Amino acid sequence: MARSSSPHSPAGTPPSPHGAERFNEEKATSAIRGADQPDMDQGIAVIREVVATLKPQPGVYRMLDARGDVLYVGKARALKNRVANYTQVDRLPNRLRRMVSLTRSMTIVTTNSEAEALLLEAQLIKRYRPAYNVLLRDDKSFPFILLRSDHAFPRIMKHRGARKAKGNYYGPFASAGSVNTTINALQKLFLLRSCNDGFMARRDRPCLLYQIRRCSAPCVGRIDEEGYAELVRQARDFLSGKSGAVQREIEAQMSEAAEALDFERAAMLRDRLRAATFIQGSQAINAEGVGNADVFAVAAKGGHVGIQAFFIRGGQNWGHRAFFPTHTDGLEEAEVLTSFLAQFYEDVPPPRLILVDRLLPEADLLAEALQGGAGGKVEISVPQRGDRRRLMEQAERNAVEALDRRLAETGTKAKIFREIADFLELGDPPDRIEIYDNSHIQGTNAVGGMVVAGPEGFRKGQYRKFNIKRPETQPGDDFAMMREVMARRFSRAQDEDPERDKGMWPDLVLIDGGKGQMTAVRETLEELGIEDVPLIGVSKGPDRNAGREVFHFPDGREKMLPINSPMLFHLQQLRDEAHRFAIGAHRAKRSRAITASPLDEIPGIGPARKRALLLHFGTAGKVRAASLEDLQRAPGVSAAVAQTIYDFYHP
């Protein structure tokens, strides 16, 4: 029926947008299960039974269908009152009436405050992706610039993911391209090193970056620690919004060098000033006077919603990106934006100022929920005049233009997918296409790659790689590798989604290969009892020319497309992406194999002991040939560990 729990955090603790572990749920003791068909009376009965157990306290509720899949996640200041509203079906929009008719159980989680409930709601929406919630469809993490602080000569670098390293993080940047361009210019401006610590420690002469004036070469003492610290200070000031002061400081140093007739130093400082001007001039958006802020504007057309985001840090534009949330039918644009912001800041640290283009119904609550991640009070406001208003107007124009482009692309892609369905003899345009390719060098480090695409583009979060590992798969046998990949992929699909209702089954499988690969795949699926998944092999035509691809059908037929066909270009893109992904996975596996050591196979030998053994004996071969007494004399190796190593090589 229902289940509930409370977070084990003390009252008054500021909520963290990354604190999923704070909520400890117990498993339900019972659940009402009904038929898959909509039944309004049964749904209302389930909700009323849950309401009878609730209290007017803040929390989050989940509505589940007959299979236990999450239909909807909602938050409430008073759970009893909010959930009871769903029993008043006459007041609900059609979308929520349908949801109530499918509800067969509920899960309740109580929280300390409504702000915590808002954060938990965003976490659960991103985790379960319910069918009746607004969804932020973006699986990309945002890149940051990291200026390390755990070294005498800090490194500047691009960073994604968890922020575990010590240092200053600047971002988010909208794309890898924007952060790479900025780091490139910052290297010219501040001459900070970008190499890793190991590379720096091995240098005995400056690298190419020093020669082209993008590094000050601290690795070989061309700059002392004090001078490098001054460059780091200037970089921090520049990235924190004090770019004008940094430029004036460099200008003064250039004038001093010129007056002292040190023209080489003056020329170097001139180049640094040009780099600073480039960084500021490359900002397509004038954000002067705004400081640190994120700017969001909404556009809606034809039942679709687009949200344009600008990221402003230190008065500089660090990129912009358009988002297109789904499941927005029947919702007000302000409600869509509120849900979007809660999910967006689940993964991105919020600034202290968020500018939006309209009043939000729960702006104060959202600001309260975000203050933990921002490290202080967050302001959400609608700019009315001045620089902020001009910036918002630019965001609004960009939102409309991005949505128009999206709708045009969607229309074109929909047409292409209909044509693909006709050409490949499918019943309907495919929603999920899986493309497969293998990569190896003479059978070594073999990897199979699966790429997934749909009408909206590539679904990179669903890519999979398969390390070829079955003993019966002979090295270099491409057909056997493809058999192994397909057997593992579809055996898992049969186990995890036997009813084919969880979106794991493809509407079309494209194989990078010709008749041989097609035969191997078809026979493998037939052995699994699968005969209804459409299969197509794609091979290059005569002389392996791109543009003359041959499409192989399971029954042996072949088709070709005109060289200038948009449909052919799209299918080539799918094939090339699978090829790129498989080669990348193979290269990564090969790199790991090159750096692997025979000592890695010895149980209980970690990096520190492995390093001590290699330093003492010189090579892994000498470790293997060492006597037990010699092993015991190695530093950091106890008698027990020495016995383990000796027994491993002398079973």
Side-chain angles (χ1 to χ4, degrees):
M1 178 185 65
R3 46 188 169 181
S4 66
S5 64
S6 299
H8 301 289
S9 57
T13 302
S16 165
H18 309 288
E21 67 277 2
R22 294 181 299 115
F23 301 93
N24 180 21
E25 300 182 36
E26 297 179 358
K27 292 186 177 180
T29 56
S30 62
I32 297 175
R33 291 286 182 257
D36 291 338
Q37 295 300 318
D39 188 327
M40 183 66 73
D41 292 338
Q42 191 170 5
I44 293 174
V46 168
I47 296 172
R48 283 177 175 164
E49 192 169 350
V50 172
V51 169
T53 67
L54 296 179
K55 297 179 180 179
Q57 60 188 117
V60 174
Y61 57 92
R62 273 177 271 170
M63 294 182 165
L64 292 81
D65 64 11
R67 294 186 301 273
D69 295 333
V70 179
L71 294 168
Y72 183 77
V73 176
K75 62 104 178 77
R77 180 172 52 191
L79 281 168
K80 188 177 186 70
N81 301 341
R82 182 71 184 90
V83 176
N85 288 340
Y86 291 102
T87 63
Q88 309 296 321
V89 291
D90 293 340
R91 302 178 183 178
L92 299 177
N94 290 334
R95 165 176 157 272
L96 295 184
R97 290 182 187 179
R98 172 79 176 179
M99 180 189 71
V100 170
S101 70
L102 293 171
T103 299
R104 297 295 178 268
S105 65
M106 292 186 65
T107 300
I108 306 296
V109 182
T110 59
T111 59
N112 290 327
S113 66
E114 190 179 6
E116 280 193 358
L118 179 64
L119 293 175
L120 178 58
E121 178 192 40
Q123 292 173 16
L124 296 178
I125 289 173
K126 297 199 76 171
R127 181 190 305 171
Y128 295 112
R129 308 195 68 78
Y132 289 88
N133 283 100
V134 174
L135 297 182
L136 167 57
R137 295 192 64 174
D138 196 299
D139 57 1
K140 302 174 185 175
S141 62
F142 286 86
F144 286 74
I145 287 178
L146 168 59
L147 187 53
R148 301 284 296 258
S149 62
D150 54 358
H151 195 280
F153 297 98
R155 173 190 180 192
I156 191 168
M157 57 187 291
K158 180 175 69 175
H159 177 83
R160 285 187 188 268
R163 295 184 294 166
K164 297 179 180 179
K166 293 182 179 179
N168 300 99
Y169 292 83
Y170 302 94
F173 286 80
S175 66
S178 60
V179 76
N180 288 338
T181 300
T182 303
I183 286 181
N184 191 24
L186 289 172
Q187 285 180 292
K188 296 178 183 178
L189 177 55
F190 298 112
L191 309 179
L192 300 181
R193 72 178 181 97
S194 58
C195 59
N196 61 46
D197 296 346
F199 182 85
M200 177 182 176
R202 293 191 299 269
R203 299 300 300 180
D204 54 11
R205 58 189 178 87
C207 67
L208 179 62
L209 289 178
Y210 175 77
Q211 307 296 333
I212 62 176
R213 295 183 178 179
R214 292 191 184 180
C215 181
S216 52
C219 54
V220 292
R222 297 297 172 91
I223 187 172
D224 59 19
E225 193 170 330
E226 183 179 352
Y228 195 87
E230 179 64 17
L231 294 177
V232 170
R233 180 195 62 78
Q234 290 182 343
R236 289 197 181 108
D237 288 346
F238 189 90
L239 290 168
S240 300
K242 302 176 183 177
S243 56
V246 173
Q247 284 181 285
R248 289 190 295 271
E249 189 176 339
I250 297 175
E251 286 174 357
Q253 293 173 352
M254 183 176 68
S255 298
E256 292 175 3
E259 291 176 2
L261 304 182
D262 188 352
F263 299 117
E264 184 176 355
R265 174 172 167 76
M268 184 268 291
L269 292 168
R270 178 203 61 201
D271 293 342
R272 291 179 61 191
L273 273 178
R274 288 177 177 173
T277 304
F278 169 80
I279 294 175
Q280 294 178 328
S282 64
Q283 314 298 328
I285 296 166
N286 181 16
E288 187 177 354
V290 177
N292 295 337
D294 287 346
V295 184
F296 297 93
V298 181
K301 182 181 294 186
H304 298 269
V305 175
I307 298 176
Q308 182 71 45
F310 290 164
F311 306 113
I312 310 299
R313 296 296 182 270
Q316 302 175 27
N317 169 35
W318 282 2
H320 54 90
R321 184 185 291 182
F323 300 86
F324 304 95
T326 58
H327 303 173
T328 59
D329 294 343
L331 296 177
E332 296 291 333
E333 294 165 21
E335 186 179 351
V336 172
L337 181 56
T338 300
S339 182
F340 166 86
L341 291 175
Q343 294 179 55
F344 179 80
Y345 287 117
E346 172 67 16
D347 296 323
V348 177
R352 302 285 288 275
L353 175 63
I354 300 173
L355 302 178
V356 294
D357 65 339
R358 65 199 66 218
L359 293 173
L360 302 183
E362 296 181 320
D364 293 340
L365 175 63
L366 183 60
E368 179 187 352
L370 296 179
Q371 66 183 5
K377 184 178 180 181
V378 173
E379 177 188 357
I380 300 177
S381 68
V382 181
Q384 301 296 328
R385 61 184 67 85
D387 293 335
R388 295 183 179 182
R389 182 60 208 163
R390 286 190 289 274
L391 183 59
M392 181 57 69
E393 289 172 352
Q394 193 164 1
E396 290 171 345
R397 289 195 300 271
N398 276 264
V400 172
E401 293 169 1
L403 183 58
D404 287 342
R405 287 194 299 270
R406 174 78 170 194
L407 293 176
E409 291 171 0
T410 302
T412 302
K413 285 186 177 179
K415 180 175 181 291
I416 289 176
F417 270 63
R418 289 194 297 269
E419 292 175 349
I420 288 175
D422 292 339
F423 175 71
L424 299 180
E425 302 173 13
L426 307 176
D428 297 298
D431 179 69
R432 179 186 174 96
I433 303 176
E434 293 181 359
I435 313 98
Y436 293 86
D437 191 14
N438 297 325
S439 182
H440 61 93
I441 294 180
Q442 295 181 345
T444 62
N445 303 307
V447 175
M450 178 187 86
V451 164
V452 182
E456 75 284 357
F458 291 108
R459 302 173 183 175
K460 295 191 175 182
Q462 299 179 34
Y463 286 15
R464 294 293 181 268
K465 66 178 180 180
F466 300 84
N467 290 314
I468 305 301
K469 57 187 180 182
R470 291 183 175 176
E472 63 268 25
T473 303
Q474 296 298 317
D477 187 341
D478 287 327
F479 302 153
M481 292 178 192
M482 189 62 73
R483 289 191 192 97
E484 177 177 336
V485 169
M486 302 305 286
R488 288 164 56 186
R489 160 71 180 101
F490 284 95
S491 293
R492 181 172 181 177
Q494 287 179 320
D495 293 339
E496 297 183 0
D497 189 12
E499 302 298 327
R500 303 194 184 187
D501 55 4
K502 295 182 180 179
M504 291 182 61
W505 288 78
D507 302 308
L508 172 64
V509 169
L510 292 180
I511 304 139
D512 187 8
K515 294 180 179 179
Q517 281 87 349
M518 167 59 70
T519 301
V521 171
R522 189 190 70 244
E523 291 176 350
T524 301
L525 295 189
E526 287 176 352
E527 290 172 3
L528 295 173
I530 301 171
E531 298 181 357
D532 55 348
V533 172
L535 307 174
I536 299 293
V538 185
S539 65
K540 292 184 178 179
D543 302 321
R544 298 186 60 80
N545 287 332
R548 303 183 66 186
E549 279 80 1
V550 178
F551 296 87
H552 302 268
F553 287 72
D555 58 7
R557 289 180 298 124
E558 298 177 355
K559 286 186 178 183
M560 295 183 68
L561 284 166
I563 293 178
N564 59 351
S565 166
M567 181 177 16
L568 175 61
F569 178 69
H570 187 77
L571 291 168
Q572 286 173 337
Q573 282 186 311
L574 299 181
R575 188 267 321 277
D576 292 345
E577 174 67 2
H579 190 57
R580 179 202 66 79
F581 179 67
I583 287 178
H586 162 71
R587 286 174 176 168
K589 185 177 181 181
R590 191 177 67 203
S591 298
R592 290 192 297 270
I594 290 172
T595 58
S597 167
L599 301 180
D600 295 336
E601 301 175 5
I602 305 175
I605 300 298
R609 281 185 176 140
K610 182 174 70 174
R611 186 162 51 250
L613 287 167
L614 290 174
L615 287 173
H616 183 74
F617 290 101
T619 66
K622 291 183 179 179
V623 175
R624 177 172 186 163
S627 67
L628 179 60
E629 291 76 13
D630 290 337
L631 290 170
Q632 290 173 342
R633 284 194 289 269
V637 177
S638 65
V641 172
Q643 189 68 54
T644 299
I645 298 171
Y646 186 81
D647 291 344
F648 180 80
Y649 287 122
H650 305 84

